[in-house]
Amino acid sequence: GESVGLHLPTLSVQEGDNSIINCAYSNSASDYFIWYKQESGKGPQFIIDIRSNMDKRQGQRVTVLLNKTVKHLSLQIAATQPGDSAVYFCAESRPGTYKYIFGTGTRLKVLA
Amino acid sequence: DADVTQTPRNRITKTGKRIMLECSQTKGHDRMYWYRQDPGLGLRLIYYSFDVKDINKGEISDGYSVSRQAQAKFSLSLESAIPNQTALYFCATSESGGGSTDTQYFGPGTRLTVL
């Protein structure tokens, strides 16, 4: 079922275009950030992470940008493919807490 | 992630029943977590465990209990299920490298419906 993802903001992107998914985090003391991908019927899958001493980190077809001034995190996916269709959400963690705070997510739809 | 497994994957039960959800991992991680996911909300932490003898409440522990039977096993129980516990439940694990930068890896989830 698709019960997770109801009422989420949706980003529709043409196949082959680049996608940018945004996340505003809540606490300026957070020092670690992660992006997860969640496909229908599956658990969240780690995509990429970044520490607060960095502004940018690149993976395979994905880039995470961190703007600590405005507490903003973005995930860029290059050459978006149908398999990228999923819900994407960010998580933040603060020093010493060992706990994550999760965003609600954005649904990415890739149009053929 | 196949290294973190959850059983059952789907469960329908009635109000008042006791339910146990199980999680096993082969990652060798010390830390394990239970979350629930509801539509329109982020994952919320129910309980977490840093080792077999360490159990901690998360932000929404009321109505739940856990047991860490071994390093690789962490089970979640609903003592008397109620309809607002209908949700997706996820188990996660992480290493114990210290600090807040331990990446958490999730199981496939259990869909629980309480009638």
Side-chain angles (χ1 to χ4, degrees):
Chain A
E2 253 328 299
S3 62
V4 173
L6 288 176
H7 315 301
L8 292 179
T10 298
L11 173 67
S12 296
V13 175
Q14 205 69 34
E15 182 179 355
D17 287 352
N18 296 334
S19 303
I20 300 176
I21 300 170
N22 297 304
C23 177
Y25 63 93
S26 60
N27 194 305
S28 56
S30 293
D31 67 347
Y32 181 58
F33 306 89
I34 301 178
W35 278 102
Y36 285 95
K37 171 186 180 183
Q38 187 174 17
E39 297 175 275
S40 178
K42 297 184 179 180
Q45 176 188 357
F46 170 85
I47 302 174
I48 192 168
D49 59 359
I50 188 168
R51 290 180 172 79
S52 58
N53 61 352
M54 303 171 69
D55 297 322
K56 179 180 179 179
R57 189 159 189 236
Q58 289 183 294
Q60 185 177 10
R61 276 202 311 119
V62 295
T63 300
V64 55
L65 298 178
L66 176 62
N67 185 330
K68 294 180 286 292
T69 302
V70 295
K71 294 188 291 186
H72 184 266
L73 195 67
S74 68
L75 176 70
Q76 300 178 0
I77 304 174
T80 311
Q81 302 170 359
D84 294 327
S85 292
V87 173
Y88 291 82
F89 56 90
C90 64
E92 60 180 295
S93 182
R94 304 168 196 174
T97 64
Y98 309 105
K99 298 178 187 178
Y100 287 7
I101 298 172
F102 292 88
T104 56
T106 296
R107 176 181 301 284
L108 176 65
K109 286 188 176 180
V110 181
L111 308 173
Chain B
D1 190 318
D3 298 324
V4 184
T5 58
Q6 293 182 233
T7 56
R9 294 295 314 278
N10 289 280
R11 181 72 183 269
I12 300 173
T13 190
K14 294 181 179 179
T15 298
K17 295 291 187 181
R18 184 176 189 276
I19 298 297
M20 179 180 286
L21 309 182
E22 299 187 352
C23 177
S24 295
Q25 54 111 348
T26 58
K27 293 178 109 34
H29 289 170
D30 287 328
R31 297 178 180 174
M32 298 186 74
Y33 311 79
W34 274 105
Y35 292 91
R36 67 176 279 175
Q37 188 177 43
D38 298 277
L41 298 178
L43 288 160
R44 292 183 291 167
L45 183 62
I46 305 172
Y47 270 95
Y48 62 104
S49 169
F50 284 174
D51 63 43
V52 174
K53 297 181 180 180
D54 178 81
I55 301 291
N56 303 282
K57 292 183 177 180
E59 58 184 303
I60 54 163
S61 59
D62 287 349
Y64 301 95
S65 62
V66 291
S67 174
R68 185 81 184 266
Q69 301 95 325
Q71 187 209 33
K73 296 184 181 296
F74 192 35
S75 60
L76 175 73
S77 294
L78 286 66
E79 300 302 326
S80 179
I82 56 177
N84 75 3
Q85 291 179 312
T86 294
L88 277 169
Y89 289 85
F90 289 101
C91 174
T93 73
S94 68
E95 294 186 80
S96 57
S100 60
T101 58
D102 298 328
T103 304
Q104 294 185 20
Y105 297 92
F106 288 82
T110 295
R111 181 179 298 279
L112 177 66
T113 302
V114 183
L115 302 176

